Amino acid sequence: MATTNFIWAGASGAPSNRDSASSSFPYHDDRGAFSMVVDLSPQTTTAAAAKVTSNNTVPTAFPTQAATSAVTTATENSSNSSVSGSIATSSFCSDQNAICVTVIRDTVNKTATITVFSTLQGWVGIGTGAQMAGSTMFIGWNNASATVISQRAATGEIAPSYNPSPIFTQVGVPASISIPPSATIVFAIMFPDSANIVFNSTATPLIYAGSNTPPSTPASAGSAIPPHDTRGAVALDVSTAGTATAGTATDDESPGSATRIALHSAAMFVAWGVLPAAGIFVARYLKTRWGHRWFLSHVGLMCFGVPACMIVGLAAVELGRVGPRFAGSPHAILGAVIAFGIFPLQIVLGFVSNALFDAQRRCVPWWDRLHWYVGRGVVVLAIAQIQLGLLLGAFPVVWTVLLWVWVVAVAAGLFGGVGEYLLGGVVHELQAEPKPDPVSTSTSSDEVSSPASFENDPESARILRGGK
């Protein structure tokens, strides 16, 4: 048996000089790599061939139906040979070989072997299905000279839970698969057909992910793992024996997603952890001190600052996504409700309150109060949303601690200490009831009962606008 590795590439554009063998030529549109295993013994009359159907793949070499010899799939628990017509294989590699997956289904032994290799330094894993919710995952990483494989169960886009009772058998990498020298993490696992991990009548959907940061406790299969740097989904078809196909990407997030997640997290924290607190503080406590500037500041923070940060945060994680949007996790669903439902409603309520403002009013109308309470409610939901995001990304617990330290500091320090104690509490724009003169018993329209209101000064109230 001999193994030969090949690369291939092609382009739709023609060389600049078709008559010259040394002509320059355009950059390739498609490219890939594969290996061929050939039995050179005398009885072999037909060379093995690899069938490649799409780009960016490393297909497993496979003999044609005409071959008279067999390719041996070497595993730790089986030395049986499989004739060409009993094997189906399908392979896929993400960009730069960050994660490569090959599935081999043996219709005689009724098993499926999944081989994974990666150039990442931390961990790499695959999972059943097209999304995390309901997926059974198999995650591998290096521990000294050994490879640890951990089975996990996911209920959504949150850190999957460890399953101490695996359904796989760790095996050696099949001899028909060529592992490049650049691979840093390599493992192969075998399943019986009864496990239903690999489908025998249609393409098998799988998700994959990986990180350059290793688990916190590499020696333990139940170790916590850091958020992924890259992830995606692929369909691998091993339903037809005697074929070797290339997987088809169904959702892809190339390396660098950690940067986008960090940008999303920072932008959304500013949008909902900082700006609303500032906007509410200005409207609640600074009307008399800032004059008309309170209104401009409040509108600027809430109508321009918050949406701008939300756009940056959403663009960081949504642009280029192929899979479902705003679904699949409580974080995604609640985020959509806040961004596209409650927040626009709050903006409308703010403009309604301003449009209906009456400088002669003696009490706060219901639409103003509704604006207050919807605003407070969306801030509470946003804090819960940030917490869900930390859980979803499996961020270290220190970030959760810092979040709640910030929440307490803003609530107790800024609002309680500064707003209520130092500034004297909330300011409402109201006209005061006329008060009797204790000497003349006449009613004075110029009486001012509180510096925190705009009694008998409708022009000032009209200039300052609205109320909080």
Side-chain angles (χ1 to χ4, degrees):
M1 303 289 287
T3 300
T4 304
N5 298 323
F6 296 88
I7 60 173
W8 59 269
S12 297
S16 57
N17 185 354
R18 294 176 182 269
D19 297 326
S20 172
S22 61
S23 170
S24 62
F25 52 88
Y27 194 76
H28 59 69
D29 298 326
D30 291 330
R31 55 93 176 168
F34 63 93
S35 60
M36 297 179 66
V37 181
V38 180
D39 190 339
L40 300 179
S41 58
Q43 70 271 22
T44 300
T45 57
T46 306
K51 179 182 178 182
V52 183
T53 57
S54 70
N55 65 320
N56 298 338
T57 62
V58 184
T60 303
F62 184 72
T64 63
Q65 291 283 3
T68 59
S69 61
V71 172
T72 299
T73 301
T75 66
E76 292 180 354
N77 63 346
S78 174
S79 59
N80 295 334
S81 295
S82 303
V83 296
S84 59
S86 67
I87 297 293
T89 181
S90 184
S91 300
F92 171 83
C93 276
S94 63
D95 287 345
Q96 302 172 356
N97 288 351
I99 299 175
C100 295
V101 183
T102 295
V103 177
I104 300 176
R105 187 170 71 89
D106 187 334
T107 60
V108 173
N109 295 317
K110 298 187 181 303
T111 61
T113 302
I114 300 179
T115 302
V116 179
F117 65 86
S118 174
T119 57
L120 298 174
Q121 302 294 321
W123 61 267
V124 63
I126 59 168
T128 59
Q131 59 183 12
M132 285 187 68
S135 178
T136 299
M137 299 182 173
F138 309 95
I139 301 171
W141 60 82
N142 295 328
N143 177 43
S145 59
T147 301
V148 177
I149 304 176
S150 174
Q151 181 173 319
R152 310 213 170 188
T155 57
E157 292 187 2
I158 58 176
S161 59
Y162 171 58
N163 184 347
S165 302
I167 60 175
F168 64 86
T169 300
Q170 187 171 358
V171 298
V173 175
S176 57
I177 298 177
S178 177
I179 304 298
S182 59
T184 52
I185 303 174
V186 181
F187 65 87
I189 49 181
M190 178 180 284
F191 308 88
D193 281 357
S194 58
N196 292 321
I197 299 297
V198 173
F199 300 158
N200 57 19
S201 60
T202 187
T204 300
L206 295 174
I207 56 176
Y208 62 86
S211 171
N212 275 311
T213 304
S216 56
T217 312
S220 171
S223 173
I225 57 174
H228 55 69
D229 296 332
T230 183
R231 60 95 181 145
V234 62
L236 296 166
D237 192 349
V238 289
S239 60
T240 304
T243 61
T245 64
T248 302
T250 56
D251 185 14
D252 178 57
E253 187 175 276
S254 59
S257 65
T259 301
R260 292 193 292 273
I261 290 174
L263 177 60
H264 171 81
S265 302
M268 288 306 193
F269 177 75
V270 174
W272 291 107
V274 178
L275 297 183
I280 293 173
F281 185 88
V282 167
R284 184 175 175 86
Y285 301 112
L286 299 180
K287 286 187 175 75
T288 57
R289 290 171 173 81
W290 282 19
H292 186 51
R293 288 177 300 166
W294 86 262
F295 181 73
L296 297 178
S297 300
H298 183 72
V299 171
L301 288 168
M302 305 308 293
C303 294
F304 297 96
V306 172
C309 288
M310 283 201 301
I311 291 172
V312 172
L314 289 173
V317 295
E318 294 299 330
L319 289 181
R321 182 187 292 273
V322 179
R325 302 175 188 272
F326 310 114
S329 73
H331 180 72
I333 295 171
L334 181 56
V337 170
I338 292 174
F340 305 119
I342 303 177
F343 180 68
L345 171 63
Q346 175 68 349
I347 295 296
V348 171
L349 288 173
F351 279 101
V352 169
S353 296
N354 182 63
L356 299 181
F357 176 71
D358 181 5
Q360 303 293 331
R361 68 185 188 178
R362 298 183 184 277
C363 65
V364 179
W366 66 266
W367 50 85
D368 271 29
R369 294 183 181 276
L370 182 60
H371 183 55
W372 301 352
Y373 293 120
V374 170
R376 295 167 187 173
V378 74
V379 168
V380 171
L381 288 176
I383 294 171
Q385 170 71 346
I386 295 173
Q387 179 64 74
L388 289 173
L390 294 175
L391 294 174
L392 174 62
F395 283 80
V397 68
V398 65
W399 289 104
T400 297
V401 172
L402 291 175
L403 169 64
W404 290 103
V405 167
W406 171 260
V407 171
V408 171
V410 170
L414 182 63
F415 282 82
V418 178
E420 298 297 325
Y421 181 74
L422 295 179
L423 298 181
V426 63
V427 174
H428 293 313
E429 297 168 336
L430 299 175
Q431 274 288 84
E433 294 287 347
K435 298 182 178 181
D437 190 318
V439 177
S440 63
T441 68
S442 62
T443 301
S444 172
S445 62
D446 297 326
E447 189 72 36
V448 177
S449 64
S450 170
S453 61
F454 301 92
E455 300 163 354
N456 296 319
D457 190 4
E459 184 59 28
S460 295
R462 185 178 300 107
I463 292 174
L464 292 174
R465 312 297 298 170
K468 272 287 179 187

